[in-house]
Amino acid sequence: KNEQRGTFSFFEAGMDARAQSRRKIEIDLRDAIQNDVLRPYYQPLIDLSTGRITGFEALVRWPHAERGMISPAEFIPVAEDTGLINALGGLMLRRACMDAAIWPDEVRVAVNLSPLQFRGGNLLSVVMDALKQSGLPPKRLELEITETLLLEKSSQVLATLHALRALGVRISMDDFGTGYSSLSYLRSFPFDKIKIDQSFVRDLGANPDAQAIVRSIISLGMGLGVTITAEGVETEAELSCLRSEGCHEGQGFLFSRARPNVEIVGLLKAQCGVDSVALGDATEEA
Ligand code: C2E
Ligand code: MG
Ligand code: MG
Ligand code: MG
């Protein structure tokens, strides 16, 4: 069949299995972007002192025709290697801002940015357009960056971060503690929130080392005057430890998995105060 021959020609002789599978992801991803198949799912961020939802993190989901949901861990690296990350990142920003614009006014949306989106030079205008088209107030948008961005020590990156913040957008440091940034970088970069990586949250309550690390990240964050969010909260033991350490916010399967936008409005309506466990019956996201 034509189709098979066409498909075959994409693969060069000598490509190993891994390269072939990445090539297939690239081809399908290009298609998925063109056909507007990618969607943000939203995972709540919970204020640990009140149990209320303060916002949602937008996480890209790709319902693949043959494979079901494919994990971003698998296709984000491919998107970064092929330049597709700019289109993907742009569409996530636009859609997340549109969705969040109809949520209650105090509820924020957080969108992940790849370091590569800072290279193209037009990130600022992509963000401004997304805000303008959706009508979302800038203070309700958070942009999540990782420490790898800071490693570049680029003045262009720094200027873009300052310009974003001047719009009123917040900057969050994602996966904190897993990168290589030194504390001196932290001082020179403007940001509003630290998200403690889930690897440190794991074992909290059981492992004194994990608790010591989390405690020092929290005191660092408090010293810098930023909000501290714990990622990957799965158990009540982790939650109570984080609360006793004074962590501001939590995110994790204990509260909810990421859910499609249609479920978010209902979730916000049901928001009823201190009982965070009200969110507990997290449905599978597949
Ligand atoms: P991240 O930004 O650190 O997002 C948190 C990840 O942890 C999400 O995985 C989320 O589903 C998962 N998670 C949340 N709570 C728990 C928990 O209690 N336990 C465990 N084990 N995991 C939990 P997901 O959605 O698979 O995304 C993985 C990574 O892919 C994200 O990590 C982010 O780095 C990247 N990503 C996702 N969406 C986008 C996007 O739109 N743009 C970019 N550039 N990267 C994205
Ligand atoms: Mg994130
Ligand atoms: Mg993270
Ligand atoms: Mg992560």
Side-chain angles (χ1 to χ4, degrees):
K1 286 193 344 205
N2 275 345
E3 197 182 286
Q4 272 170 356
R5 207 164 50 226
T7 306
F8 183 73
S9 68
F10 283 112
F11 301 102
E12 289 146 31
M15 269 184 155
D16 63 17
R18 187 162 167 279
Q20 284 198 15
S21 117
R22 285 175 73 100
R23 187 81 177 109
K24 163 89 167 126
I25 289 176
E26 178 191 346
I27 293 159
D28 290 355
L29 184 58
R30 203 176 290 278
D31 230 56
I33 290 171
Q34 230 147 47
N35 297 321
D36 196 22
V37 169
L38 303 182
R39 290 286 176 274
Y41 273 36
Y42 297 101
Q43 187 179 32
L45 297 149
I46 308 296
D47 181 325
L48 294 188
S49 58
T50 63
R52 295 180 69 84
I53 298 170
T54 61
F56 293 86
E57 178 174 4
L59 294 159
V60 63
R61 292 293 179 263
W62 178 10
H64 187 280
E66 295 147 32
R67 296 182 48 196
M69 284 290 182
I70 305 184
S71 163
E74 193 177 336
F75 64 86
I76 292 289
V78 176
E80 292 182 327
D81 285 350
T82 56
L84 289 171
I85 192 68
N86 283 303
L88 186 157
L91 73 86
M92 284 293 286
L93 260 169
R94 284 188 295 277
R95 200 172 266 273
C97 289
M98 291 295 253
D99 289 344
I102 63 156
W103 301 344
D105 199 40
E106 70 283 0
V107 179
R108 290 198 282 264
V109 68
V111 179
N112 292 282
L113 294 182
S114 159
L116 295 178
Q117 290 175 262
F118 284 78
R119 295 225 181 115
N122 71 337
L123 177 60
L124 187 62
S125 63
V126 171
V127 171
M128 285 167 71
D129 287 350
L131 290 169
K132 199 173 154 197
Q133 279 171 25
S134 62
L136 185 76
K139 64 167 193 211
R140 292 178 54 203
L141 177 62
E142 287 180 0
L143 297 175
E144 298 196 0
I145 61 168
T146 54
E147 289 165 274
T148 43
L149 181 69
L150 308 192
L151 281 180
E152 300 185 15
K153 284 190 193 161
S154 128
S155 57
Q156 189 215 318
V157 166
L158 191 59
T160 306
L161 288 173
H162 277 295
L164 288 166
R165 253 172 131 231
L167 293 177
V169 169
R170 288 158 189 259
I171 308 292
S172 301
M173 190 77 74
D174 203 357
D175 303 341
F176 188 78
T178 61
Y180 302 95
S181 72
S182 72
L183 297 179
S184 68
Y185 291 3
L186 282 183
R187 207 178 41 181
S188 47
F189 278 86
F191 62 99
D192 306 276
K193 179 184 279 191
I194 285 177
K195 298 186 78 175
I196 304 174
D197 190 68
Q198 55 187 51
S199 57
F200 301 111
V201 175
R202 203 67 51 251
D203 289 345
L204 262 183
N207 178 346
D209 291 346
Q211 188 160 354
I213 291 170
V214 165
R215 180 176 296 160
S216 57
I217 297 176
I218 290 172
S219 76
L220 171 70
M222 292 197 171
L224 293 168
V226 301
T227 304
I228 303 127
T229 302
E231 303 192 81
V233 184
E234 291 184 354
T235 68
E236 290 290 350
E238 290 161 3
L239 174 61
S240 72
C241 180
L242 289 161
R243 276 207 177 111
S244 68
E245 295 295 340
C247 187
H248 302 128
E249 271 185 357
Q251 175 181 3
F253 297 165
L254 179 66
F255 308 109
S256 174
R257 290 178 182 257
R259 305 178 184 211
N261 185 46
V262 290
E263 294 178 23
I264 298 308
V265 175
L267 203 61
L268 287 167
K269 275 193 194 133
Q271 172 153 290
C272 54
V274 183
D275 187 14
S276 56
V277 187
L279 293 170
D281 63 330
T283 45
E284 261 308 314
E285 53 192 61

